[in-house]
Amino acid sequence: MSETTFDYIIVGAGTAGCLLANRLSADARKRVLLIEAGRKDDYHWIHIPVGYLYCIGNPRTDWLYNTAPDAGLNGRSLKYPRGKVLGGCSSINGMIYMRGQARDYNQWADVTGDSRWRWDQCLPYFKLHEDHFGGANAMHGAKGTKSEVLLADKTVYGETLRHHNAGGEWRIEKQRLRWDVLDAFAEAAVQAGIPATPDFNQGDNEGVGYFEVNQKSGWRWNTAKAFLRPTCYSRPNFELWSSAQVSKLLMTQDADGQQRCSGVEVWTGAGGSVQVTAKHAVVLCAGSIGSPQILQLSGLGPASLLKEHGIDPVIDLPGVGANLQDHLQIRSVFKVQGVQTLNTLANSWWGKAKIGMEYVFKRSGPMSMAPSQLGAFTRSSPDQPYTNIEYHVQPLSLDAFGEPLHNFPAFTASVCNLNPTSRGTVNIVSPKFLDAPKIAPNYLSTDADRKVAADSLRVTRRIAAQPALAKYKPVEWKPGVQHQSDADLARLAGDIATTIFHPVGTARMGRIDDAQAVVDPELRVRDGLGGVVRGLRVVDASVMPTITSGNTNSPTLMLAEKAAQWLTHEALAHS
C-alpha cells in the first residue's frame, strides 16, 4: 500500500466492480485500484454451487445484515444477505442468468430522458461480456465473437479492448440436472395457460422453463473468475486491496466552486486508515446497501439525516438511501407422493454419499444445483397489462432458509411480485462506518402489492391443481387451503414471505433536474445545483430507478459495461 495515487479507484469488488476493473485496467497507461471490504474468494464453498447454503449467513462471505422489523411482514425482521468477499453477491447468489424485460429498460429511458437506456441500446452491452452455451446470435454473445459495441467504438477504449480480445467472460450454461416433479410442474404451468419457453432473456420473459445459470462445468462462475483471473492479476497497472473497507469519500472544492471527489479513506484493520487519491474518478460499486451508506457518511445525502448524526452536509441529496425496492418471495409448500425430491434423497447418509459422489465424478446432481432450478413468469391476474410475477420452483422444502429439509417429500413454489410499488430506505444509524445501516424495505406497504400477493398465491394453487401434477397428489402444506380471502392471503404472505435478495434503487438515476435522483443518466453523482460532482460515479444496482422484472445480477453487469465506456471517454476528453 505504498502507492496511494491512482487514475481510478473502484470501491467494491463485487459484480460491477470486477467488470469495471477489467475494462479500465485494459489501458496500461491507467493505474486502477480495486478495494474490497471482504476477503479473497478462496473459500471452497463459494465455488461449489450448493455452497450458497454455507456462504449466506457466514461472516466469511456475508455482511450479515438484518432488516428492521417490518409492518408488512407482521413485525418480522429478515436476514438480508449481501456478499462481503471478492466477487460480491456473484459469489453467494443463486447463479440465475436473467435480464428482465425490455419494458424495464424503456422505462429507465423515460425516467432519465436518455434513450441510451432503452432495451435495444442495452442489449449489445449484455452481449459484450456473455459467453452463452448456445453460441452467438441476435440475442446472445459468446466468447470469440466480435462485439458490436467495440466495433462501433473507434476511440482508444474500443481499440484497446479489441486488442485484448475482451468480451465473452461471463459464462452461461444449462443446469446439469432435472427432476420429475419439476418437469410435472412445468407441464402443469402450460396446462394453466403459461407457455413453455426455451429462453427467458429475449425481452419478454413470459413462460416456464429451467433457468440458465452462471456456471462453468458444474462450478459457480463468479465475477472474480470471469473478470479478474487471470486478466487483471497479470497487469502491472492493477492493484487489489482486500479486507480493506472504505470509510468515506474525500470531498474537495475546485477553484470554480464545484464539488470534486478526490479520493477515499480506507480502513485496513490493524494498519489503521490510509487516504488514497484518484486522478480521474472514484467509482462506488458497493451495492444498494453499501453505496448509500458511504455517500451518507461522506456528507452526501438527506441533510436532516446527516445533521442528526453529527455529519456536516456537503450536498443535500434527499434521494440517497430512498427508493429501496426488492423482490419479496412468497413460499408455498406442497407435500407430494410417489416422486423423488431432495427432502427424501438427502434424508440418509447413503443418499448424501450418493449426492457427493455424483458431483465428484460428474459435476452434476444436487450439489450442482442453483437454489431454484425451474422458473415461470406470468400475470397475477388477467387484468395485469404484462407479466408481473416470477416463480422460483424447487424440489425441496424447509421452514426457512438455513433450516433443515423437511422429512417428507415436497416441492416449493416461491412467487414474487416483479414490480412492487412499496418503497423502503437505507439510512446510517451513526457516523461510524463499522455500524450497519438501518434497512427498512417496507414490504407490502401498498394496497397494490398486497393484492398482487393474494392473487399470486391463487395462481400457484391453479397450477398445482392441473392434471400433470395429479399423479403426485400434491397437498398444500403452507400456507394452507383454509386461507382464501384477499385479506387472509395478504396477511399470510406477511407471515411466510422472505427476500429474494434483489435490493435496488437507493441511489437512483434520473434527469439532472430531478430532485430525488442521486445520479444523472451517465451515473455521475448530482451536486444538487444542476450539475454533477466531478470525479464521482455510482455503478451498481442502487442506480436502477425501478427494479428489473427478474433477477438483478446480470443487469448490474450491463450497467457496469456501459459505465466503463463512459468513464474512459470522459478521461479521453479531459486528457
mmCIF file of all heavy atoms in Angstrom, residues 93 130 150 278 305 335 342 344 354 357 361 399 421 467 470 472 501 514 517:
data_model
loop_
_atom_site.group_PDB
_atom_site.id
_atom_site.type_symbol
_atom_site.label_atom_id
_atom_site.label_comp_id
_atom_site.label_asym_id
_atom_site.label_seq_id
_atom_site.Cartn_x
_atom_site.Cartn_y
_atom_site.Cartn_z
ATOM 1 N N ASN A 93 -24.799 -15.777 -4.616
ATOM 2 C CA ASN A 93 -26.186 -15.679 -5.084
ATOM 3 C C ASN A 93 -26.674 -16.977 -5.719
ATOM 4 O O ASN A 93 -26.002 -18.008 -5.674
ATOM 5 C CB ASN A 93 -26.346 -14.490 -6.049
ATOM 6 C CG ASN A 93 -25.652 -14.714 -7.388
ATOM 7 O OD1 ASN A 93 -25.074 -15.775 -7.659
ATOM 8 N ND2 ASN A 93 -25.692 -13.715 -8.249
ATOM 9 N N GLU A 130 -21.070 -11.695 -22.547
ATOM 10 C CA GLU A 130 -21.665 -13.036 -22.477
ATOM 11 C C GLU A 130 -20.810 -14.098 -23.157
ATOM 12 O O GLU A 130 -20.231 -13.861 -24.216
ATOM 13 C CB GLU A 130 -23.030 -13.052 -23.175
ATOM 14 C CG GLU A 130 -24.177 -12.531 -22.340
ATOM 15 C CD GLU A 130 -25.509 -12.737 -23.041
ATOM 16 O OE1 GLU A 130 -25.538 -13.205 -24.197
ATOM 17 O OE2 GLU A 130 -26.527 -12.426 -22.442
ATOM 18 N N LEU A 150 -17.790 -2.794 -29.402
ATOM 19 C CA LEU A 150 -16.376 -2.477 -29.599
ATOM 20 C C LEU A 150 -16.060 -2.163 -31.057
ATOM 21 O O LEU A 150 -15.189 -1.333 -31.347
ATOM 22 C CB LEU A 150 -15.512 -3.638 -29.103
ATOM 23 C CG LEU A 150 -15.677 -3.984 -27.613
ATOM 24 C CD1 LEU A 150 -14.697 -5.069 -27.205
ATOM 25 C CD2 LEU A 150 -15.518 -2.755 -26.740
ATOM 26 N N ALA A 278 -7.532 9.748 -6.346
ATOM 27 C CA ALA A 278 -7.911 9.348 -7.702
ATOM 28 C C ALA A 278 -7.718 10.527 -8.646
ATOM 29 O O ALA A 278 -8.266 11.605 -8.410
ATOM 30 C CB ALA A 278 -9.360 8.889 -7.738
ATOM 31 N N LEU A 305 -30.963 13.954 7.956
ATOM 32 C CA LEU A 305 -30.395 12.703 8.465
ATOM 33 C C LEU A 305 -28.933 12.897 8.860
ATOM 34 O O LEU A 305 -28.492 12.430 9.916
ATOM 35 C CB LEU A 305 -30.513 11.609 7.392
ATOM 36 C CG LEU A 305 -29.808 10.287 7.712
ATOM 37 C CD1 LEU A 305 -30.558 9.530 8.800
ATOM 38 C CD2 LEU A 305 -29.671 9.425 6.458
ATOM 39 N N LYS A 335 -46.826 -30.916 -0.206
ATOM 40 C CA LYS A 335 -46.423 -32.304 0.002
ATOM 41 C C LYS A 335 -46.817 -33.123 -1.230
ATOM 42 O O LYS A 335 -47.860 -32.872 -1.844
ATOM 43 C CB LYS A 335 -47.123 -32.884 1.230
ATOM 44 C CG LYS A 335 -46.638 -32.324 2.557
ATOM 45 C CD LYS A 335 -47.342 -33.053 3.715
ATOM 46 C CE LYS A 335 -46.807 -32.609 5.061
ATOM 47 N NZ LYS A 335 -47.452 -33.334 6.186
ATOM 48 N N LEU A 342 -35.556 -33.588 -3.078
ATOM 49 C CA LEU A 342 -34.305 -33.521 -2.321
ATOM 50 C C LEU A 342 -34.540 -33.866 -0.854
ATOM 51 O O LEU A 342 -33.643 -34.414 -0.192
ATOM 52 C CB LEU A 342 -33.685 -32.130 -2.447
ATOM 53 C CG LEU A 342 -32.256 -31.991 -1.895
ATOM 54 C CD1 LEU A 342 -31.296 -32.917 -2.621
ATOM 55 C CD2 LEU A 342 -31.760 -30.551 -2.005
ATOM 56 N N THR A 344 -36.278 -36.273 0.377
ATOM 57 C CA THR A 344 -36.150 -37.713 0.565
ATOM 58 C C THR A 344 -34.765 -38.207 0.168
ATOM 59 O O THR A 344 -34.228 -39.136 0.781
ATOM 60 C CB THR A 344 -37.215 -38.455 -0.258
ATOM 61 O OG1 THR A 344 -37.233 -37.937 -1.601
ATOM 62 C CG2 THR A 344 -38.593 -38.243 0.336
ATOM 63 N N LYS A 354 -24.357 -40.533 -2.054
ATOM 64 C CA LYS A 354 -24.650 -40.625 -3.490
ATOM 65 C C LYS A 354 -24.595 -39.251 -4.147
ATOM 66 O O LYS A 354 -24.039 -39.093 -5.244
ATOM 67 C CB LYS A 354 -26.036 -41.250 -3.684
ATOM 68 C CG LYS A 354 -26.430 -41.461 -5.134
ATOM 69 C CD LYS A 354 -27.819 -42.088 -5.225
ATOM 70 C CE LYS A 354 -28.246 -42.245 -6.682
ATOM 71 N NZ LYS A 354 -29.627 -42.797 -6.777
ATOM 72 N N MET A 357 -20.890 -38.207 -4.411
ATOM 73 C CA MET A 357 -20.145 -38.956 -5.433
ATOM 74 C C MET A 357 -20.535 -38.505 -6.834
ATOM 75 O O MET A 357 -19.690 -38.420 -7.732
ATOM 76 C CB MET A 357 -20.395 -40.455 -5.268
ATOM 77 C CG MET A 357 -19.858 -41.029 -3.963
ATOM 78 S SD MET A 357 -18.055 -40.863 -3.821
ATOM 79 C CE MET A 357 -17.536 -42.206 -4.889
ATOM 80 N N PHE A 361 -17.621 -37.061 -9.420
ATOM 81 C CA PHE A 361 -17.279 -37.744 -10.672
ATOM 82 C C PHE A 361 -17.928 -37.138 -11.915
ATOM 83 O O PHE A 361 -17.405 -37.281 -13.017
ATOM 84 C CB PHE A 361 -17.649 -39.225 -10.570
ATOM 85 C CG PHE A 361 -16.762 -39.994 -9.623
ATOM 86 C CD1 PHE A 361 -17.233 -40.386 -8.387
ATOM 87 C CD2 PHE A 361 -15.451 -40.287 -9.961
ATOM 88 C CE1 PHE A 361 -16.423 -41.079 -7.506
ATOM 89 C CE2 PHE A 361 -14.633 -40.984 -9.094
ATOM 90 C CZ PHE A 361 -15.106 -41.384 -7.851
ATOM 91 N N ASP A 399 -38.513 -24.987 6.604
ATOM 92 C CA ASP A 399 -39.276 -23.943 7.308
ATOM 93 C C ASP A 399 -38.778 -22.552 6.946
ATOM 94 O O ASP A 399 -39.556 -21.620 6.770
ATOM 95 C CB ASP A 399 -39.186 -24.148 8.819
ATOM 96 C CG ASP A 399 -40.037 -25.317 9.291
ATOM 97 O OD1 ASP A 399 -41.022 -25.657 8.599
ATOM 98 O OD2 ASP A 399 -39.716 -25.904 10.341
ATOM 99 N N THR A 421 -44.704 -1.800 -5.744
ATOM 100 C CA THR A 421 -44.883 -0.359 -5.593
ATOM 101 C C THR A 421 -44.440 0.122 -4.214
ATOM 102 O O THR A 421 -44.361 1.335 -3.977
ATOM 103 C CB THR A 421 -46.352 0.029 -5.825
ATOM 104 O OG1 THR A 421 -47.191 -0.754 -4.952
ATOM 105 C CG2 THR A 421 -46.761 -0.242 -7.259
ATOM 106 N N PRO A 467 -53.817 -31.358 -14.176
ATOM 107 C CA PRO A 467 -53.682 -32.818 -14.303
ATOM 108 C C PRO A 467 -52.235 -33.317 -14.270
ATOM 109 O O PRO A 467 -51.977 -34.430 -13.780
ATOM 110 C CB PRO A 467 -54.324 -33.106 -15.667
ATOM 111 C CG PRO A 467 -55.273 -31.976 -15.888
ATOM 112 C CD PRO A 467 -54.649 -30.782 -15.254
ATOM 113 N N ALA A 470 -51.314 -34.243 -10.836
ATOM 114 C CA ALA A 470 -52.285 -35.044 -10.079
ATOM 115 C C ALA A 470 -51.706 -36.382 -9.636
ATOM 116 O O ALA A 470 -52.020 -36.875 -8.547
ATOM 117 C CB ALA A 470 -53.544 -35.263 -10.917
ATOM 118 N N TYR A 472 -48.961 -37.082 -8.479
ATOM 119 C CA TYR A 472 -48.130 -36.970 -7.274
ATOM 120 C C TYR A 472 -48.930 -36.492 -6.063
ATOM 121 O O TYR A 472 -48.373 -36.251 -5.000
ATOM 122 C CB TYR A 472 -46.943 -36.039 -7.522
ATOM 123 C CG TYR A 472 -46.054 -36.498 -8.657
ATOM 124 C CD1 TYR A 472 -45.610 -35.606 -9.627
ATOM 125 C CD2 TYR A 472 -45.670 -37.826 -8.764
ATOM 126 C CE1 TYR A 472 -44.796 -36.028 -10.677
ATOM 127 C CE2 TYR A 472 -44.858 -38.271 -9.805
ATOM 128 C CZ TYR A 472 -44.428 -37.358 -10.760
ATOM 129 O OH TYR A 472 -43.631 -37.790 -11.797
ATOM 130 N N PHE A 501 -33.381 -11.352 -2.249
ATOM 131 C CA PHE A 501 -32.030 -10.765 -2.305
ATOM 132 C C PHE A 501 -31.806 -9.887 -3.541
ATOM 133 O O PHE A 501 -30.754 -9.975 -4.174
ATOM 134 C CB PHE A 501 -30.938 -11.841 -2.231
ATOM 135 C CG PHE A 501 -31.207 -12.976 -1.291
ATOM 136 C CD1 PHE A 501 -30.922 -14.287 -1.636
ATOM 137 C CD2 PHE A 501 -31.763 -12.747 -0.034
ATOM 138 C CE1 PHE A 501 -31.168 -15.344 -0.766
ATOM 139 C CE2 PHE A 501 -32.012 -13.797 0.848
ATOM 140 C CZ PHE A 501 -31.716 -15.103 0.481
ATOM 141 N N ASP A 514 -34.083 16.388 -11.553
ATOM 142 C CA ASP A 514 -34.937 15.562 -10.695
ATOM 143 C C ASP A 514 -34.367 15.607 -9.275
ATOM 144 O O ASP A 514 -33.292 15.061 -9.005
ATOM 145 C CB ASP A 514 -34.961 14.130 -11.227
ATOM 146 C CG ASP A 514 -35.829 13.194 -10.410
ATOM 147 O OD1 ASP A 514 -36.249 13.571 -9.297
ATOM 148 O OD2 ASP A 514 -36.082 12.067 -10.874
ATOM 149 N N ALA A 517 -33.326 12.287 -7.745
ATOM 150 C CA ALA A 517 -32.279 11.499 -8.409
ATOM 151 C C ALA A 517 -30.945 11.738 -7.714
ATOM 152 O O ALA A 517 -30.608 12.863 -7.340
ATOM 153 C CB ALA A 517 -32.181 11.879 -9.877
#
